[in-house]
């Protein structure tokens, strides 16, 4: 290149730099420096993450099972026609609750869960999700202790609502973390292992509640749960937080926010020379809040336009209507229909075995036949339909042993849905929508599923006074769930897990965090390759 040509190139560069907006230069420099900083290593390995999340999930559902057990839930005071009265036991006896009020305790928990789930999912855009889980588990621990100290129906109802608030952060954010870090060929299996803790936790809760309530006092069951959860609540704050796919690290968000704010102030200063300052800090905060709300509404609108997601959640609602009532009223129904003196232990044992085998088998089978959305719907419709036949037939038998045999097979098949249904929720939307997808799925299946089902079954039983008929009516709702999921087969859903984030400036950061558990050297190498 000639000397004259080199001078022209230099002049062109100077000219272009002079025309650049100073605030734009500052922002671009901040983004570049943020993208170049490699993520520091985390103590977690994928398997450690899975184990810790499984234990937390298990404790959550032990609490749900314990409050439904005969040992903790108890029975009302009863009086015979001759005037002989027997004292009640557990929560229902101490507070003299009818079946409807007893069912409201389950619904109160769900109300807290439903209100808080979308809030935690939305906060994941601005606060590190791992820290949000720590906050939620702290609220859960305090609220469970409050349940043990409750003195009437309203105090325990409020505490159960706060327990739901605490669990909401974990429910909406844990599955995306596991989906990010699971081996590609075992994603559904890992989700199956995680969701296996739902039936297993319920079952252990029945046994745990029966033992504690029978030998001590129902209040001690809640104190024990709080002690078990406390270390995990602390862990959420002291461990290095992980990042979710589709979201920038919290540090880079803070850096970009501060730099962009400074750039805006520079621009405002320039304008104020002519017009004066037009914005206050209060108006900026209002703008940010409005922006967050509008983004939340856009996310909800996008979910509602995703037919695969809507059909999947509709089937899940019908399914959860039945499972929620089973989990709450099952031991009491078994006690009354088949005179099971140890209904908590029997239901707990059957649910543990069938829950573990069924949930893991559902994830394993979907991985074997190829994890696609269409195959997930095929599996969901088949196992739900056949499982419904076995569960319905079980309640038709007068023999307790025939009931247990058929009900066990039905439970095994029905629990095989857990991994496939959540796989669809995670993979039919783009990565940045996964927290809100899980949150709104949780809201829908509870607000239209087990929130109304527990008190409605209580009202139905109070009206017809026949647990066998009540159980048959409830079980028949599994058939519509199977039909809805069958429709999903023909929607030809597309797996969107590999779609890029909607934030182009943090794409490189997101890529580095698809494997957040690398050591420092490997993470730095991966970052360098991504930039090249």
């Amino acid at each position: 290149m000639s000397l004259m040509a080199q001078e022209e190139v230099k002049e062109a560069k100077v000219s272009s730099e002079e025309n650049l907006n100073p605030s734009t230069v500052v922002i671009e420099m901040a983004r570049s420096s943020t993208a170049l900083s490699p993520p520091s290593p985390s103590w977690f390995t994928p398997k450690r993450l899975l184990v810790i999340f499984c234990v937390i999930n298990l404790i959550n559902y032990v609490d749900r099972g314990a409050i439904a057990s005969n040992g903790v839930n108890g029975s009302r005071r009863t009086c015979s026609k001759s005037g002989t009265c027997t004292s009640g036991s557990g929560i229902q006896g101490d507070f003299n609750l009818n079946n409807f009020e007893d069912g409201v305790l389950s619904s109160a928990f769900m109300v807290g869960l439903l209100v808080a789930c979308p809030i935690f999912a939305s906060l994941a855009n601005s606060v590190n999700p791992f820290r949000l889980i720590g906050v939620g588990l702290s609220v859960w621990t305090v609220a469970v202790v409050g349940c043990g100290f409750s003195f009437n129906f309203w105090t325990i109802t409020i505490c159960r609502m706060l327990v739901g608030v605490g669990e909401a952060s974990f429910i909406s954010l844990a599955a995306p973390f596991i989906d990010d870090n699971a081996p590609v060929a075992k994603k559904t299996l890992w989700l199956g292992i995680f969701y296996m803790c739902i039936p297993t936790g319920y079952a252990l809760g029945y046994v745990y509640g029966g033992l504690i309530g029978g030998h001590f006092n129902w209040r001690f069951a809640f104190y024990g749960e709080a002690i078990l959860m406390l270390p995990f609540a602390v862990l959420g704050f002291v461990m290095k937080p992980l990042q979710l796919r589709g979201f920038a690290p919290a540090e880079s968000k803070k850096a970009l926010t501060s730099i962009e704010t400074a750039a805006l102030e520079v621009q405002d200063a320039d304008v104020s020379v002519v017009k004066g300052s037009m914005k206050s800090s209060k108006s900026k905060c209002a703008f940010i809040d409005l922006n967050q709300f509008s983004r939340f509404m856009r996310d909800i609108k996008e979910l509602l336009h995703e037919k695969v997601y809507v059909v999947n959640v509709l089937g899940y609602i019908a399914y959860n209507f039945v499972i929620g009532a089973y989990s709450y009223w099952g031991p009491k129904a078994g006690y009354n229909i088949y005179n099971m003196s140890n209904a908590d232990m029997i239901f707990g044992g059957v649910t543990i075995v069938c829950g573990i085998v069924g949930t893991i088998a559902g994830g394993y089978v979907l991985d074997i036949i190829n994890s696609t959305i269409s195959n997930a719907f095929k599996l969901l419709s088949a196992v739900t339909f056949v499982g419904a036949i076995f569960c319905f037939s079980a309640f038709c038998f007068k023999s307790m042993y025939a009931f247990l045999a058929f009900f066990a097979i039905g439970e095994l098949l029905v629990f095989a849905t857990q991994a496939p249904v959540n796989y669809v929720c995670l993979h039919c939307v783009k990565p940045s929508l996964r927290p809100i997808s899980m949150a709104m799925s949780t809201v829908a299946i509870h607000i239209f599923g087990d929130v109304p089902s527990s008190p409605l079954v209580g009202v139905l039983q109070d009206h017809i006074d026949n647990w066998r008929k009540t159980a048959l009516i409830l079980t028949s709702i599994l058939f519509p769930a199977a039909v809805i999921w069958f429709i999903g087969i023909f929607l030809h859903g597309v797996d969107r897990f590999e779609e890029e984030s909607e934030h182009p400036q943090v794409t490189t950061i997101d890529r580095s965090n698809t494997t957040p558990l690398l050591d420092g050297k490997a993470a730095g190498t991966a970052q360098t390759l991504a930039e090249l």
Side-chain angles (χ1 to χ4, degrees):
M1 182 182 294
S2 66
L3 182 61
M4 184 177 294
Q6 289 179 1
E7 290 298 329
E8 290 177 354
V9 170
K10 288 180 180 180
E11 289 177 2
K13 287 182 178 180
V14 171
S15 177
S16 61
E17 289 175 359
E18 289 175 350
N19 291 330
L20 282 175
N21 189 316
S23 61
T24 304
V25 174
V26 173
I27 293 173
E28 291 302 323
M29 290 173 63
R31 288 172 178 168
S32 300
S33 61
T34 304
L36 287 172
S37 57
S40 55
S42 171
W43 172 83
F44 286 116
T45 63
K47 289 183 180 179
R48 283 176 181 170
L49 179 73
L50 178 64
V51 170
I52 290 173
F53 277 9
C54 282
V55 174
I56 295 172
N57 207 27
L58 193 69
I59 297 172
N60 279 331
Y61 283 91
V62 163
D63 171 72
R64 297 199 199 186
I67 197 172
S69 68
N70 287 315
V72 173
N73 190 270
S75 58
R76 295 180 65 189
R77 302 167 188 156
T78 57
C79 293
S80 63
K81 293 181 179 179
S82 61
T84 304
C85 295
T86 58
S87 60
S89 62
I91 295 172
Q92 196 171 20
D94 281 8
F95 301 146
N96 194 28
L97 309 180
N98 57 36
N99 286 331
F100 174 75
E101 290 171 327
D102 198 11
V104 167
L105 292 182
S106 174
S107 297
F109 167 86
M110 294 302 172
V111 168
L113 191 75
L114 303 182
V115 172
C117 261
I119 295 175
F120 279 113
S122 297
L123 286 174
N125 291 313
S126 55
V127 181
N128 187 279
F130 201 68
R131 292 292 184 251
L132 290 176
I133 290 176
V135 172
L137 295 183
S138 300
V139 173
W140 190 97
T141 303
V142 173
V144 164
V145 173
C147 290
F149 284 106
S150 59
F151 52 86
N152 60 21
F153 169 71
W154 289 109
T155 54
I156 195 169
T157 299
I158 293 171
C159 287
R160 292 308 298 171
M161 192 178 299
L162 291 175
V163 172
V165 171
E167 188 175 321
S169 66
F170 182 76
I171 290 297
S172 56
L173 299 172
F177 271 121
I178 293 174
D179 194 44
D180 275 355
N181 295 288
V184 176
K186 296 181 179 179
K187 281 186 179 293
T188 319
L189 176 61
W190 278 40
L191 287 173
I193 293 172
F194 175 71
Y195 285 106
M196 169 198 72
C197 298
I198 294 178
T200 307
Y202 263 121
L204 289 175
Y206 295 152
V207 177
Y208 169 75
L211 290 174
I212 299 297
H215 292 84
F216 302 100
N217 185 287
W218 61 268
R219 298 178 187 273
F220 287 97
F222 293 114
Y223 302 149
E225 294 168 10
I227 292 172
L228 291 173
M229 185 65 82
L230 183 60
F232 298 101
V234 174
L235 190 68
F237 292 103
V238 299
M239 294 305 300
K240 178 185 179 298
L242 304 178
Q243 301 298 330
L244 276 177
R245 180 186 177 91
F247 295 91
E251 292 80 3
S252 60
K253 287 180 182 177
K254 290 177 181 178
L256 288 176
T257 301
S258 62
I259 294 299
E260 287 171 357
T261 302
L264 286 174
E265 289 175 355
V266 171
Q267 291 175 346
D268 286 345
D270 291 339
V271 174
S272 66
V273 174
V274 181
K275 298 181 178 179
S277 178
M278 300 296 293
K279 295 182 180 180
S280 66
S281 58
K282 190 173 182 179
S283 64
K284 288 179 182 178
C285 291
F287 174 76
I288 293 172
D289 291 339
L290 183 61
N291 187 47
Q292 289 178 342
F293 178 75
S294 63
R295 177 174 179 173
F296 172 76
M297 295 307 298
R298 286 198 305 271
D299 290 345
I300 296 298
K301 183 178 180 180
E302 187 169 347
L303 287 179
L304 293 177
H305 278 84
E306 181 58 62
K307 295 179 182 178
V308 172
Y309 180 81
V310 171
V311 169
N312 185 53
V313 172
L314 286 176
Y316 205 2
I317 289 170
Y319 167 90
N320 211 54
F321 187 96
V322 178
I323 298 302
Y326 270 177
S327 63
Y328 196 78
W329 295 111
K332 193 165 288 187
Y335 175 82
N336 285 276
I337 296 173
Y338 298 103
N339 297 316
M340 295 180 186
S341 58
N342 53 349
D344 290 337
M345 302 294 287
I346 293 175
F347 263 83
V350 170
T351 306
I352 284 177
V353 175
C354 297
I356 292 175
V357 175
T359 309
I360 293 180
Y364 180 75
V365 169
L366 184 56
D367 281 332
I368 291 296
I369 63 176
N370 191 11
S371 299
T372 65
I373 292 176
S374 178
N375 284 343
F377 277 126
K378 291 175 185 176
L379 187 60
L380 286 169
S381 58
V383 297
T384 304
F385 184 78
V386 178
I389 293 174
F390 275 95
C391 288
F392 190 90
S393 301
F395 286 107
C396 295
F397 289 105
K398 294 184 178 180
S399 168
M400 183 182 72
Y401 299 105
F403 162 78
L404 289 175
F406 272 71
F407 191 72
I409 297 172
E411 267 201 329
L412 189 148
L413 291 167
V414 166
F415 281 130
T417 60
Q418 289 298 319
V421 71
N422 286 286
Y423 175 87
V424 175
C425 280
L426 288 167
H427 285 255
C428 71
V429 298
K430 60 187 179 183
S432 61
L433 285 181
R434 288 180 305 161
I436 198 69
S437 167
M438 296 302 296
M440 296 314 298
S441 169
T442 302
V443 168
I445 66 174
H446 289 314
I447 200 168
F448 300 113
D450 52 5
V451 166
S453 71
S454 293
L456 285 177
V457 168
V459 170
L460 179 63
Q461 173 57 25
D462 285 340
H463 179 69
I464 65 178
D465 195 26
N466 187 315
W467 276 108
R468 189 185 301 274
K469 290 182 180 178
T470 300
L472 288 171
I473 293 171
L474 175 65
T475 305
S476 63
I477 299 174
L478 283 174
F479 292 105
V483 172
I484 294 171
W485 278 327
F486 181 75
I487 295 172
I489 299 173
F490 306 99
L491 296 180
H492 306 294
V494 177
D495 193 327
R496 303 179 63 185
F497 180 76
E498 295 297 333
E499 284 191 16
E500 294 291 342
S501 169
E502 64 182 9
H503 306 289
Q505 71 269 23
V506 296
T507 301
T508 305
I509 299 170
D510 290 342
R511 280 297 181 188
S512 70
N513 282 296
T514 58
T515 314
L517 307 176
L518 294 172
D519 59 26
K521 183 178 179 181
T525 304
Q527 180 70 31
T528 303
L529 290 174
E531 290 170 359
L532 292 174

